[in-house]
Amino acid sequence: DTAVSQTPKYLVTQMGNDKSIKCEQNLGHDTMYWYKQDSKKFLKIMFSYNNKELIINETVPNRFSPKSPDKAHLNLHINSLELGDSAVYFCASSQGPASGANVLTFGAGSRLTVL
Amino acid sequence: AQRVTQPEKLLSVFKGAPVELKCNYSYSGSPELFWYVQYSRQRLQLLLRHISRESIKGFTADLNKGETSFHLKKPFAQEEDSAMYYCALSVYNQGGKLIFGQGTELSVKP
C-alpha cells in the first residue's frame, strides 16, 4: 500500500528519445514535487504542483514538461534526452506549505540512464 | 539567497562513538529545518524536524539561529545508522519547496 509510487523504477534509453515517468500518491496531499538526484547524490527541486497548478518551476530545460491530470498524479515527460539527464528522479508529495510543517513523503525514485 | 551547506561529504565513525553531522543554512526569514535520511536501497524519509524538538532513533538536532546551524547529533552511533543524511530548509514564500544540502554519507564501522 505504497504512499507515493513511481514508475518505472529503472529506465535505460538512447540519446534523443522521449520518455515519461509517472507518479501517484494516495495520501490525499495537495502538493506534489519532482526532484533530481545527480551522480553526486545532490538533490535539487525541479517542479511543484499544488492542486494541479504549477507553483514551482526551477531553471529546468524546457525539454522537461510536468503534467498533473489531478492532484494525485504528477507525471514528468522528457523530450530529446541528453546524457546529462541521467540521474535518479524522485517524486514527493506533501499537504502543502499552508498546512504548517511542510513534510515531504518521497517515492522510491526512478533511475534514468541515457546512453 | 537560500542555501543549505553540509560541509562533510563522508563521515566515518566506529560503533559506539558520538556522531555529529553538520548543517549550516542561509535564509532571511524564520527557518523551518529538517533532517532526511536515505538508507541503502530505501527511499528518502523524514528523520526529524526542528519544530518538533523530538529525538528519533537517538538523534537530536537543535536550531541555533545565532550560528545559523542545525547540526544532527547522536551520542552512540550504531551500525544501522549508516546512511545518507540530508539537511533541508523549507522556503514558504516559494511554494514551500525544500532546499537540500549536499548530503553527508555516514558510515558506522563495527
Side-chain angles (χ1 to χ4, degrees):
Chain A
D1 197 24
T2 307
V4 180
S5 57
Q6 301 177 225
T7 54
K9 196 169 181 180
Y10 299 97
L11 187 53
V12 181
T13 188
Q14 300 285 335
M15 276 176 57
N17 284 350
D18 304 338
K19 290 293 177 187
S20 292
I21 307 172
K22 296 186 176 182
C23 179
E24 176 182 2
Q25 55 97 2
N26 61 7
L27 297 166
H29 286 166
D30 287 336
T31 307
M32 295 185 72
Y33 308 81
W34 278 110
Y35 278 82
K36 179 180 180 181
Q37 186 180 47
D38 62 24
S39 57
K40 296 182 180 178
K41 303 276 190 179
F42 183 55
L43 271 166
K44 190 168 175 8
I45 190 165
M46 300 173 70
F47 302 103
S48 175
Y49 271 74
N50 182 266
N51 273 321
K52 301 193 297 177
E53 182 185 342
L54 181 66
I55 56 171
I56 295 174
N57 186 351
E58 293 291 290
T59 51
V60 178
N62 57 15
R63 298 182 294 104
F64 290 78
S65 52
K67 282 191 172 49
S68 183
D70 55 62
K71 75 172 192 178
H73 295 84
L74 179 61
N75 304 323
L76 183 64
H77 188 75
I78 315 170
N79 289 325
S80 302
L81 278 156
E82 300 177 357
L83 292 177
D85 297 333
S86 295
V88 181
Y89 292 85
F90 285 97
C91 178
S93 72
S94 75
Q95 289 182 322
S99 68
N102 194 31
V103 177
L104 269 59
T105 302
F106 282 84
S110 297
R111 182 177 292 277
L112 171 65
T113 303
V114 182
L115 303 175
Chain B
Q2 306 98 353
R3 187 166 51 243
V4 177
T5 303
Q6 293 178 248
E8 302 134 333
K9 193 170 180 180
L10 173 65
L11 186 61
S12 186
V13 301
F14 286 101
K15 176 183 171 181
V19 64
E20 181 180 52
L21 288 81
K22 291 185 167 42
C23 172
N24 288 91
Y25 66 91
S26 172
Y27 185 49
S28 56
S30 184
E32 173 106 33
L33 288 150
F34 305 81
W35 276 99
Y36 280 79
V37 60
Q38 188 175 27
Y39 299 103
S40 179
R41 302 183 187 281
Q42 293 188 29
R43 62 187 67 201
L44 200 65
Q45 57 188 285
L46 177 70
L47 180 62
L48 53 80
R49 50 188 177 177
H50 91 269
I51 61 169
S52 301
R53 294 180 172 273
E54 57 200 345
S55 173
I56 303 292
K57 298 184 179 182
F59 284 97
T60 58
D62 291 318
L63 176 61
N64 185 323
K65 291 187 178 181
E67 295 182 358
T68 59
S69 68
F70 188 55
H71 302 328
L72 183 68
K73 300 177 185 178
K74 185 168 182 176
F76 307 104
Q78 303 300 314
E79 289 179 69
E80 55 266 28
D81 296 328
S82 295
M84 194 76 178
Y85 290 81
Y86 291 94
C87 183
L89 168 71
S90 185
V91 183
Y92 282 94
N93 62 352
Q94 292 184 27
K97 71 179 180 182
L98 276 186
I99 296 174
F100 284 88
Q102 301 94 317
T104 297
E105 183 178 352
L106 175 64
S107 174
V108 182
K109 301 185 188 311

